[in-house]
């Protein structure tokens, strides 16, 4: 009878980076288990861009096609579930899911991504990924020349203003309270024709996720079509840090050029280590799979 609980590599997270890692490992004849909870951070985003061969495709369709291709490799399995615990053992790692399932592996790859922490502004979450965007490289072309708002302050607000001026000249910076841009930053922003509005924001009026107005606490409104914002985030899976993996100041998992974390036998890839980009996620996933396999071959190859 086949052993369905012991694997060479377990990948936690089954979106772009996790599936990419699995493809490298499946092609290396490794017995792999992908565990995914089915909650990607881009699940509201209607289209994915800036990824060769898939530009304009829906994120769900890219993931579905990738999953089908990966599961064509007979040594790769996919399991729907949420990993809640993990511990290092003498031979590798043991993990548990929320329903008590237990799996073991020699190596772990974390590809679970990030969880966004939405600001307490009514309407924001409903528009996130649709007309409230985080990355102009992903969505700026489609939103070019639109009436655009920036939700940010300090260095982030200045950087967004500088960057987005390449895509649209109709820009307004909303600091949702007193601006803490430096005097020099404020002067440069205004010299580039960008108004800074400090009025506290009440909520966002929208039509099925498409922004229409920013509404202030005094009841006044400002018409916009696109908003850029980079909300706070946390790791979707806290287990890497619990296992001792070092984190960066930004809250990302620290890895080297081979996607190795600071804990032996653990790799990480995708949004968990580098922010958000489908193309980068696929790239780092492929690297993680390759070097997890390299470690396994090195350990098995006798002197």
């Amino acid at each position: 009878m086949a052993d369905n609980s012991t694997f060479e590599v377990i990948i936690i997270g089954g979106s772009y980076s996790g599936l990419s890692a699995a493809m490298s490992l499946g092609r290396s004849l490794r017995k792999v288990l992908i565990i995914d909870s089915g909650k990607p951070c881009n699940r509201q985003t209607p289209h994915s861009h800036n990824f060769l061969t898939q530009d304009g495709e829906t994120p769900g369709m890219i993931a579905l096609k990738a999953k089908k291709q990966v599961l064509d490799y007979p040594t790769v399995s996919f399991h729907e579930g949420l990993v809640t615990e993990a511990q290092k053992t003498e031979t590798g790692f043991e993990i548990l899911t929320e329903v008590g399932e237990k799996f073991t592996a020699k190596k772990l790859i974390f590809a679970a991504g990030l969880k966004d922490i939405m600001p307490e502004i009514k309407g924001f979450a409903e528009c996130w990924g649709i007309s409230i965007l985080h990355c102009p490289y992903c969505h700026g072309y489609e939103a070019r020349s639109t009436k655009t708002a920036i939700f940010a302050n300090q260095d982030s607000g200045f950087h967004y203003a500088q960057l987005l001026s390449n895509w649209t000249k109709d820009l307004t910076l909303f600091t949702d309270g007193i601006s803490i841009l430096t005097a020099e930053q404020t002067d440069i922003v205004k010299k580039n024709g960008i108004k800074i509005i400090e009025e506290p924001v009440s909520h966002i009026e929208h039509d099925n996720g498409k922004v229409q107005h920013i509404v202030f606490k005094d009841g006044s409104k400002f018409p916009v079509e696109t908003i850029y914002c980079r909300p706070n985030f946390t790791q979707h899976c806290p287990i890497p840090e619990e296992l001792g993996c070092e984190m960066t100041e930004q809250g990302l998992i620290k890895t080297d050029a081979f996607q190795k974390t600071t804990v032996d036998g653990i790799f990480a890839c995708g949004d968990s280590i580098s922010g958000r980009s489908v193309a980068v996620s696929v790239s780092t996933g492929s690297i993680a799979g390759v070097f997890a396999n390299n470690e396994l071959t090195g350990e098995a190859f006798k002197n």
Side-chain angles (χ1 to χ4, degrees), residues 2 9 34 63 66 68-69 92 94 113 128-129 135 145 166 214 222 230 238 244 256 288 290:
V9 183
I34 308 164
K68 181 181 183 302
Q69 291 179 347
E94 179 181 275
W128 180 239
C135 174
S145 302
N166 182 62
I214 294 170
F222 192 98
R230 189 169 287 119
D256 65 12
V290 165

Side-chain angles (χ1 to χ4, degrees), residues 104-155:
T104 61
K106 296 176 182 177
K107 308 291 179 185
L108 293 182
I109 297 178
F110 285 96
L114 302 173
K115 184 189 298 182
D116 295 303
I117 302 171
M118 299 295 164
E120 294 183 4
I121 298 174
K122 184 181 177 182
F124 187 101
E126 290 83 354
C127 298
W128 180 239
I130 301 170
S131 59
I132 300 182
L133 313 171
H134 74 288
C135 174
Y137 294 104
C138 297
H139 308 289
Y141 184 84
E142 286 66 37
R144 66 193 183 279
S145 302
T146 60
K147 192 171 184 62
T148 300
I150 300 167
F151 272 15
N153 211 332
Q154 207 168 15
D155 292 343

Side-chain angles (χ1 to χ4, degrees), residues 85-300:
E85 295 180 45
Q87 62 179 357
K88 199 163 177 46
T89 66
E90 290 184 2
T91 56
F93 300 90
E94 179 181 275
I95 67 165
L96 291 174
T97 69
E98 64 179 344
V99 295
E101 300 156 311
K102 183 186 296 184
F103 302 100
T104 61
K106 296 176 182 177
K107 308 291 179 185
L108 293 182
I109 297 178
F110 285 96
L114 302 173
K115 184 189 298 182
D116 295 303
I117 302 171
M118 299 295 164
E120 294 183 4
I121 298 174
K122 184 181 177 182
F124 187 101
E126 290 83 354
C127 298
W128 180 239
I130 301 170
S131 59
I132 300 182
L133 313 171
H134 74 288
C135 174
Y137 294 104
C138 297
H139 308 289
Y141 184 84
E142 286 66 37
R144 66 193 183 279
S145 302
T146 60
K147 192 171 184 62
T148 300
I150 300 167
F151 272 15
N153 211 332
Q154 207 168 15
D155 292 343
S156 177
F158 180 77
H159 176 67
Y160 256 143
Q162 181 184 48
L163 184 63
L164 290 170
S165 63
N166 182 62
W167 278 273
T168 180
K169 300 304 178 186
D170 195 344
L171 273 174
T172 307
L173 175 58
F174 296 83
T175 57
D176 192 23
I178 296 172
S179 169
I180 50 176
L181 273 72
T182 66
E184 181 183 9
Q185 288 173 336
T186 300
D187 184 53
I188 293 172
V189 167
K190 290 182 176 179
K191 279 183 178 178
N192 281 274
I194 301 170
K195 187 177 181 181
I196 299 173
I197 295 180
E198 300 176 90
E199 189 71 30
V201 174
S202 168
H203 62 279
I204 295 167
E205 287 184 351
H206 65 94
D207 180 16
N208 291 319
K210 295 183 179 181
V211 175
Q212 296 178 320
H213 293 92
I214 294 170
V215 184
F216 302 105
K217 290 188 176 179
D218 66 2
S220 60
K221 299 180 180 182
F222 192 98
V224 296
E225 298 169 84
T226 306
I227 296 174
Y228 282 90
C229 181
R230 189 169 287 119
N232 293 327
F233 62 81
T234 186
Q235 289 285 328
H236 197 270
C237 178
I239 293 173
E241 190 169 11
E242 292 170 1
L243 287 171
C245 294
E246 187 177 341
M247 311 296 286
T248 69
E249 291 182 0
Q250 295 76 32
L252 301 171
I253 303 171
K254 186 175 182 179
T255 60
D256 65 12
F258 308 122
Q259 307 310 135
K260 295 181 182 181
T261 70
T262 54
V263 175
D264 287 342
I266 300 180
F267 297 77
C269 53
D271 292 354
S272 296
I273 63 113
S274 62
R276 293 172 171 83
S277 166
V278 174
V280 173
S281 291
V282 170
S283 172
T284 57
S286 181
I287 294 169
V290 165
F291 283 96
N293 178 67
N294 279 3
E295 279 198 0
L296 289 166
T297 56
E299 291 164 3

